[in-house]
Amino acid sequence: MRKFMLAVVFTILGLGMPVSSGAQAAQPSAPKPALAPSEEVLQSWNDIGRRLTDMAEDFPEDKYDFKTTPAQRSFAENLLHVLSDAYREISAVKGSPVGPKTEGFNDLSRQDYKTKADVVKLLKAAVAEGAALIKAQGDAGLTREVKNPYDGSLQHAWYTWMGTIEHAGEHYGQLVVYYRVAGLVPPASRPKQ
């Protein structure tokens, strides 16, 4: 018992003693400076674009018309819905039409994009067009007023980008459910190799 008590006392005393400089934990370094606002928007745009593209390329083509329930959009229709919104928003920020035309607020049609390759190609093009516009307009472009394509009100371009990125993120989450209901594991949830 005496040896145990001595061990406890020495342990407690040892905890209070200064540690030599070689054994001290590394001091945290100063944080990296923030990216420019347009670089942050670009990073978010590219991130959701990459995640959706990974899904579009990964999901089996024979399941592209899979629906979680009959009343829902199919996997492909969800992607086309996101792309319809993205192209409307990119066009608003650019101030001129970009991408395929749709009537009113209708989504791009599955009849026009029949294959997985068609959808993936369009998705990659939309992500690239949005990224190019963010880069071209830079920080100054984010504070420009643009016309909201849905109600005609004016809003700043950064708000437009935020809305379309957030909308794409909502549908990304919905498509994760499609994966799970179809008995598949989404790409981002798989173990890293």
Side-chain angles (χ1 to χ4, degrees), residues 169-191:
E170 289 173 355
H171 285 281
Y172 170 82
Q174 186 178 24
L175 292 175
V176 167
V177 174
Y178 279 56
Y179 262 85
R180 298 297 185 179
V181 172
L184 303 168
V185 177
S189 299
R190 295 178 192 150

Side-chain angles (χ1 to χ4, degrees), residues 31-113:
K32 292 180 187 175
L35 297 172
S38 60
E39 291 172 330
E40 290 175 340
V41 171
L42 178 63
Q43 194 172 61
S44 293
W45 174 260
N46 284 336
D47 179 58
I48 192 60
R50 177 193 48 76
R51 287 187 285 147
L52 288 171
T53 300
D54 287 350
M55 284 182 151
E57 291 177 329
D58 179 72
F59 206 72
E61 184 158 15
D62 65 343
K63 293 188 183 301
Y64 252 55
D65 291 312
F66 172 75
K67 296 180 176 189
T68 55
T69 67
Q72 300 298 309
R73 292 180 182 105
S74 69
F75 182 87
E77 289 168 336
N78 259 294
L79 289 172
L80 292 170
H81 170 72
V82 169
L83 287 164
S84 299
D85 177 69
Y87 273 122
R88 277 186 207 102
E89 303 284 5
I90 293 168
S91 296
V93 172
K94 187 169 184 178
S96 61
V98 176
K101 309 278 184 282
T102 60
E103 293 297 317
F105 294 115
N106 293 329
D107 287 341
L108 296 167
S109 170
R110 181 74 168 117
Q111 298 302 331
D112 296 332
Y113 301 93

Side-chain angles (χ1 to χ4, degrees), residues 103-174:
E103 293 297 317
F105 294 115
N106 293 329
D107 287 341
L108 296 167
S109 170
R110 181 74 168 117
Q111 298 302 331
D112 296 332
Y113 301 93
K114 295 179 181 181
T115 67
K116 175 179 175 174
D118 292 339
V119 175
V120 169
K121 180 180 177 183
L122 185 63
L123 180 56
K124 287 181 176 182
V127 172
E129 293 221 43
L133 184 58
I134 294 166
K135 287 178 191 175
Q137 292 188 348
D139 293 346
L142 296 177
T143 58
R144 285 182 43 255
E145 287 186 350
V146 300
K147 189 174 178 183
N148 180 315
Y150 296 102
D151 67 12
S153 65
L154 292 178
Q155 60 190 30
H156 290 98
W158 68 264
Y159 190 77
T160 304
W161 287 116
M162 183 179 68
T164 195
I165 291 166
E166 189 263 345
H167 178 252
E170 289 173 355
H171 285 281
Y172 170 82
Q174 186 178 24

